[in-house]
Amino acid sequence: MTAKNDPQILAFCCKYCSYAAADLAGSMRLDYPASVKVVQVPCTGRVDVIHLLKGLEAGADGIYVAG
């Protein structure tokens, strides 16, 4: 459960690297905050600045790009 004051984080994760690690963490039933929303992208090189700005406009407190 997310506490009211937890920062909302939007994570753009590479399909083959960091998303696979996040998926493995879920499979192993490891906990990470519910305030972290993971978005799978084909490659972090495809993430444009407009995607980051739209995430902030939508209410994210922080953006994380992991390759």
Side-chain angles (χ1 to χ4, degrees):
M1 179 149 61
T2 310
K4 195 169 194 170
N5 59 354
D6 280 351
Q8 298 298 309
I9 307 297
L10 182 61
F12 291 96
C13 296
C14 171
K15 178 180 181 178
Y16 300 104
C17 302
S18 56
Y19 186 82
D23 191 40
L24 180 61
S27 297
M28 294 176 63
R29 302 207 186 272
L30 299 176
D31 291 331
Y32 59 90
S35 61
V36 177
K37 306 298 183 219
V38 178
V39 177
Q40 179 182 338
V41 293
C43 177
T44 53
R46 301 273 311 199
V47 177
D48 195 27
V49 174
I50 195 72
H51 299 115
L52 308 179
L53 294 175
K54 290 285 187 180
L56 293 172
E57 282 181 350
D61 296 312
I63 306 289
Y64 180 71
V65 180

